[in-house]
Amino acid sequence: MSLHLKKKTGKERQNSVAHGTFQTFEDNEYAKVIEGIKRIYKQKIKPLESTYNFEGFHSAPLTDSDIEAKPIVLLIGQYSTGKTTFIRYLLDKAYPGEHIGVEPTTDRFVSVMYGTEERVIPGNAAAVNQDLPFRGLNRFGQAFLSRFQVSQTKSPVLENMTIIDTPGILAGDKQLTERGYDFTQVIEWFAERSDLILLMFDSHKLDISNEFKLAIHCLRGQEEKVRVVLNKSDMVNQQQLMRVYGAMMWSLGKVVQTPEVMRVYLSSFWTQKPPNSFEDCRELIDAESKDLLRDLKELRRNAAIRKINEIVKRARLARVHALIVSHLKKEMPAMFGKKKKQETLLKNLAGEFSKIQQKYHLPAGDFPNPDRFRQNLTLYDMDKFKSLKDDVIERVDEALSNDLPRLMSQFPAMNPELTQGEKNPFQADSISGSGEIPPSYWHFESIDRHVYLPQFQSLGPRDGKVSGTDVKPVLMKSGLPNDQLAQIWRLADIDNDGYMDIDEFCIAMHLIKAVRTGGTQLPEKLPNTLMPNRKF
């Protein structure tokens, strides 16, 4: 599927094509995996969480809407780094409640979701709606919910993802006096449920404030989801960009305590490109922006795998939690000295963790932070905790060792990478010629998409694409010479990957129709008006 960074006109945006119309094959597979995850969680993991009060120490039990939720993209950054503008760039339209400016404009958490009509759902209403995955936000109270909203708009992009826009990060103690809620805890809640986390930086705003530092720290354990976006990269020249990149990596190195290098995208997402932008790095910025958009495009395909990954992480954490709680219960005396023993256990919690780790041969990375766990423990009477129930633990072990791996094995294989010789199934030299093509015919909107869609679906697309080997017999039925079919393939295979998505297939059939019915000479290059009206 091709990616286009060119700004589209209003008419083109109105004619954008929704992905959902040609993803029936994939959607069925995705739905089966989601149903399997829900069944395993309800039958084998949730009982353990309920028995050992997992909710009181970590997070509330997952609901069906949590598991069924579309992939979530979380945007974090200081004010005026282009978070809201990035969303508008993706959607090619404004969403309800959007406000863009150089000052701190987004003063609330906004979940931008798909909806058949434009509307804003206030935070309190969204948190009690069973169809939305935000019921867990009730724990943050009225102060937060009054600063949260769901903005629904009809956009093809939002059919495959939900985007969370966050308030601009503040500096110093402003977070305590102006927000009224714990910003980092809310970020942590969204981060746990997100599929991709984008840390947004401005080429003129590289400092990491106190609150931004705390927000990055709360992302520990979610490192595989985090990407860094250096936005507005075209507002500095090539030499300055190199220095800006180095300064940003130095700042991040002091905050992110990991040996791995974080993936950084140099990008520039404008709704209207400013006249004072630099063009000396345009090719690099466009290539990096395409990589980021490709990551977003693949979210839907990889969502089921990530959901299984999150369930595995949650099950491992819940299992360790059960072992900790049952161990503390076992250490409590039967009759006297309970209060004193509880104080001793609280004081030596790290030592108790070591005992549990050695007894059950567990990795240290599976254990929670002792200080945070101690804070929660002070609210409970350890003597009232449940003893270890082997059957409950065994069900979780079975889910981790058998059920979830079996679910993973059901995933279809991805399309293999083709060699250069396999990318065009006709293997012929291109023809020459530059005949006149009537403008009224060569517009993407004029393609009879509804006619070609059943043909495309009958080929069994995988990841929304079919290979050249599968398409070749369909194109050969046209009776056109091999050299013409080869030229049609080159024109229609926009991203030159040897596969065709629905748009590329329709373009190929449209070109064949032009040659067969009008004897039109094929162009050397596909007209811009025939390019699909979408970014990804």
Side-chain angles (χ1 to χ4, degrees):
M1 195 176 289
S2 54
L3 300 169
H4 303 288
L5 297 176
K6 188 182 76 168
K7 186 64 186 169
K8 300 192 289 240
T9 64
K11 182 178 179 182
E12 287 175 325
R13 282 198 291 270
Q14 292 170 9
N15 290 302
S16 290
V17 181
H19 302 291
T21 55
F22 60 87
Q23 287 189 335
T24 307
F25 183 77
E26 290 176 316
D27 288 345
N28 289 340
E29 293 179 334
Y30 181 76
K32 289 177 184 177
V33 172
I34 295 300
E35 287 301 316
I37 294 174
K38 286 159 59 176
R39 185 184 66 255
I40 293 169
Y41 176 73
K42 286 180 180 178
Q43 295 178 359
K44 300 190 175 180
I45 300 173
K46 189 175 179 180
L48 180 138
E49 294 183 4
S50 303
T51 303
Y52 296 101
N53 191 22
F54 184 79
E55 179 178 1
F57 292 81
H58 298 282
S59 59
L62 298 178
T63 63
D64 285 350
S65 58
D66 289 327
I67 298 174
E68 295 167 354
K70 296 174 183 176
I72 293 177
V73 179
L74 177 63
L75 306 183
I76 307 174
Q78 300 188 103
Y79 70 89
S80 192
T81 53
K83 298 187 296 297
T84 308
T85 304
F86 175 66
I87 297 175
R88 179 187 278 196
Y89 178 89
L90 292 180
L91 306 185
D92 272 321
K93 60 184 289 190
Y95 61 83
E98 172 203 282
H99 186 194
I100 296 175
V102 294
E103 76 281 7
T105 52
T106 304
D107 62 344
R108 60 189 64 232
F109 282 78
V110 182
S111 174
V112 187
M113 307 181 72
Y114 181 83
T116 54
E117 58 183 30
E118 307 272 319
R119 65 171 179 169
V120 172
I121 304 176
N124 285 283
V128 297
N129 190 328
Q130 295 187 1
D131 295 328
L132 299 176
F134 303 121
R135 299 182 69 186
L137 292 173
N138 283 302
R139 60 184 285 199
F140 299 110
Q142 180 63 30
F144 168 73
L145 292 176
S146 63
R147 293 291 180 181
F148 172 67
Q149 71 180 41
V150 173
S151 294
Q152 292 186 326
T153 186
K154 191 173 184 179
S155 168
V157 173
L158 296 177
E159 289 186 8
N160 293 327
M161 71 179 74
T162 294
I163 305 174
I164 307 295
D165 193 8
T166 62
I169 300 282
L170 301 175
D173 296 330
K174 293 179 185 176
Q175 63 191 58
L176 302 177
T177 57
E178 296 185 12
R179 295 206 192 275
Y181 59 89
D182 193 320
F183 179 80
T184 53
Q185 283 192 13
V186 175
I187 288 290
E188 185 174 4
W189 188 92
F190 278 109
E192 289 174 354
R193 290 154 179 79
S194 296
D195 296 83
L196 188 66
I197 302 170
L198 299 181
L199 298 180
M200 305 284 288
F201 287 85
D202 185 334
S203 58
H204 290 96
K205 196 172 291 169
L206 300 175
D207 59 309
I208 299 179
S209 65
N210 298 339
E211 194 176 34
F212 200 3
K213 181 178 180 179
L214 292 173
I216 294 174
H217 281 169
C218 77
L219 300 178
R220 286 178 181 170
Q222 316 291 338
E223 288 84 3
E224 75 276 5
K225 306 176 184 178
V226 179
R227 307 287 186 273
V228 177
V229 178
L230 180 56
N231 200 21
K232 305 180 185 178
S233 296
D234 57 357
M235 298 308 293
V236 293
N237 61 34
Q238 187 175 17
Q239 184 181 23
Q240 291 170 332
L241 182 59
M242 187 169 60
R243 292 174 178 171
V244 165
Y245 180 85
M248 185 191 69
M249 295 303 291
W250 180 82
S251 297
L252 278 172
K254 296 175 66 178
V255 178
V256 182
Q257 303 296 327
T258 57
E260 298 86 4
V261 177
M262 302 183 76
R263 177 65 167 97
V264 179
Y265 298 97
L266 303 177
S267 62
S268 185
F269 297 103
W270 299 102
T271 52
Q272 290 184 343
K273 190 169 68 173
N276 60 333
S277 61
F278 290 87
E279 297 297 323
D280 49 355
C281 288
R282 180 62 58 191
E283 187 175 345
L284 170 64
I285 292 172
D286 284 352
E288 290 279 294
S289 299
K290 285 182 180 180
D291 286 346
L292 175 56
L293 294 177
R294 191 176 296 112
D295 265 6
L296 292 171
K297 182 191 73 175
E298 293 174 352
L299 273 181
R300 180 70 168 85
R301 187 183 69 191
N302 298 327
I305 298 176
R306 274 191 295 272
K307 285 187 184 295
I308 291 180
N309 182 60
E310 292 302 313
I311 289 293
V312 169
K313 286 168 62 176
R314 187 181 180 95
R316 288 169 65 96
L317 183 60
R319 185 179 184 276
V320 170
H321 173 78
L323 295 176
I324 293 171
V325 167
S326 59
H327 171 82
L328 296 175
K329 162 71 175 177
K330 187 177 180 181
E331 292 294 311
M332 293 295 288
M335 295 290 291
F336 305 108
K338 294 182 179 180
K339 185 176 180 180
K340 186 176 180 180
K341 183 62 175 177
Q342 177 157 334
E343 291 175 354
T344 304
L345 290 171
L346 283 171
K347 191 178 295 185
N348 190 36
L349 194 59
E352 299 301 322
F353 281 6
S354 298
K355 291 180 185 178
I356 299 167
Q357 181 183 347
Q358 293 174 6
K359 181 178 180 181
Y360 295 101
H361 309 289
L362 299 171
D366 282 358
F367 283 79
N369 182 286
D371 295 328
R372 289 185 62 176
F373 201 83
R374 185 181 294 109
Q375 289 178 0
N376 290 322
L377 270 178
T378 57
L379 305 175
Y380 297 94
D381 183 353
M382 294 184 190
D383 191 50
K384 294 182 180 178
F385 286 158
K386 301 286 178 139
S387 300
L388 189 63
K389 295 183 178 180
D390 291 336
D391 59 327
V392 178
I393 296 291
E394 286 171 2
R395 272 184 281 174
V396 174
D397 289 341
E398 185 180 2
L400 289 170
S401 59
N402 296 325
D403 298 335
L404 291 171
R406 190 181 304 121
L407 205 58
M408 286 287 292
S409 67
Q410 296 176 10
F411 283 33
M414 294 178 62
N415 290 323
E417 185 174 353
L418 301 179
T419 65
Q420 191 63 36
E422 295 172 325
K423 287 187 176 180
N424 189 330
F426 298 98
Q427 287 298 298
D429 296 330
S430 62
I431 63 170
S432 59
S434 56
E436 292 293 327
I437 301 174
S440 59
Y441 185 84
W442 299 114
H443 282 268
F444 187 77
E445 297 79 26
S446 67
I447 295 178
D448 296 328
R449 184 187 176 87
H450 66 281
V451 174
Y452 304 129
L453 181 59
Q455 284 182 279
F456 182 79
Q457 291 288 5
S458 68
L459 298 175
R462 178 165 292 168
D463 295 337
K465 294 187 175 186
V466 291
S467 68
T469 305
D470 294 329
V471 177
K472 182 175 182 178
V474 178
L475 303 189
M476 290 289 289
K477 289 180 182 178
S478 66
L480 295 179
N482 203 61
D483 56 349
Q484 283 190 316
L485 290 176
Q487 176 71 349
I488 288 171
W489 181 275
R490 270 188 285 273
L491 293 171
D493 186 12
I494 297 170
D495 47 12
N496 192 32
D497 63 350
Y499 292 90
M500 281 191 173
D501 61 21
I502 180 61
D503 290 335
E504 294 168 331
F505 180 78
C506 288
I507 291 171
M509 299 302 289
H510 197 63
L511 292 170
I512 288 173
K513 181 180 176 182
V515 175
R516 291 182 64 188
T517 59
T520 306
Q521 192 173 16
L522 291 169
E524 290 289 344
K525 183 180 178 183
L526 192 70
N528 289 334
T529 54
L530 202 52
M531 297 287 275
N533 300 323
R534 53 188 165 82
K535 283 194 183 77
F536 60 88

